[in-house]
């Protein structure tokens, strides 16, 4: 168990869940990008594009929901640090295949820990919002492929 605890930072030496102590880590500029998709019927995508879904503008609502979710990741995920993110963006790509929407989210912060969970949460909640808004017209939607695409960190440079 001790070897496993060394690899899994959210476990202590006894295998108990814990929040990671990042107090001694330096504050760095950090960014994470996540991506996922929602598969749907062509007719559903047509309704989304023509703004004819009864609940309103699907992509605008999903964008706001994703950004809100990124800001709440620390409240939703038990061992996730609550972070004051400095930027979050959620974008949608409607493919020529007309069978899915690709959701990409980025989150940025100057902090002692990364923003991967915030970007992943933004993608997931944006997809769930699309699902919720379109479920009355499409019973075959599938959310999937949610993954971290990249994470970066760099020192903060100040102009003096």
């Amino acid at each position: 168990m001790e070897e496993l605890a060394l690899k899994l930072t959210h476990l202590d030496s006894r295998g108990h869940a814990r929040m990671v102590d990042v107090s001694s880590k330096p504050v760095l500029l950090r960014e994470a990008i996540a991506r996922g998709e929602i598969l749907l019927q062509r007719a559903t995508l047509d309704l989304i594009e023509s703004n004819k879904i009864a609940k309103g503008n699907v992509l605008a609502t999903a964008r706001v929901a994703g950004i809100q979710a990124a800001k709440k990741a620390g409240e939703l995920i038990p061992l996730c640090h609550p972070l004051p993110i400095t930027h979050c963006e959620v974008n949608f790509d409607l493919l020529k295949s007309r069978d899915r929407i690709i959701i990409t989210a980025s989150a940025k912060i100057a902090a002692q820990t990364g923003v991967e969970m915030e970007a992943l949460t933004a993608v997931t909640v944006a997809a769930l919002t699309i699902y919720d808004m379109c479920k009355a017209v499409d019973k075959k939607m599938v959310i999937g492929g949610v993954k971290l695409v990249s994470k970066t960190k760099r020192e903060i440079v100040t102009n003096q």
Side-chain angles (χ1 to χ4, degrees), residues 1-15:
M1 182 60 80
E2 196 168 316
E3 186 179 314
L4 179 61
L6 292 175
K7 293 178 183 175
L8 300 174
T9 58
H10 283 87
L11 296 178
D12 65 17
S13 61
R14 297 181 313 260

Side-chain angles (χ1 to χ4, degrees), residues 14-150:
R14 297 181 313 260
H16 298 148
R18 69 177 177 109
M19 180 182 241
V20 175
D21 184 357
V22 296
S23 303
S24 63
K25 291 175 75 174
V27 173
L28 299 172
L29 293 175
R30 299 168 186 266
E31 180 177 15
I33 300 172
R35 187 168 293 133
E37 65 183 18
I38 183 164
L39 286 82
L40 36 67
Q41 295 178 49
R42 179 182 297 250
T44 307
L45 193 53
D46 292 344
L47 290 170
I48 290 169
E49 283 185 309
S50 62
N51 202 23
K52 291 184 179 173
I53 295 290
K55 289 187 175 185
N57 187 318
V58 174
L59 299 183
T61 305
R63 178 174 286 113
V64 172
I67 293 167
Q68 278 186 296
K71 297 186 320 183
K72 300 282 188 184
E75 294 175 33
L76 298 169
I77 303 164
L79 301 176
C80 183
H81 292 88
L83 299 176
I85 62 173
T86 57
H87 182 72
C88 182
E89 189 171 310
V90 177
N91 292 302
F92 306 98
D93 291 311
L94 286 59
L95 302 184
K96 289 181 183 178
S97 60
R98 310 288 295 160
D99 66 344
R100 68 193 67 213
I101 299 172
I102 305 296
I103 305 161
T104 304
S106 64
K108 294 180 183 179
I109 193 167
Q112 294 167 296
T113 189
V115 290
E116 300 92 342
M117 299 311 298
E118 288 70 15
L120 288 161
T121 301
V123 167
T124 303
V125 171
L128 288 169
T129 301
I130 294 169
Y131 190 101
D132 178 57
M133 293 184 76
C134 298
K135 66 187 178 205
V137 297
D138 191 341
K139 307 292 187 207
K140 296 181 179 182
M141 291 180 290
V142 177
I143 295 169
V146 178
K147 63 183 177 182
L148 184 67
V149 174
S150 69

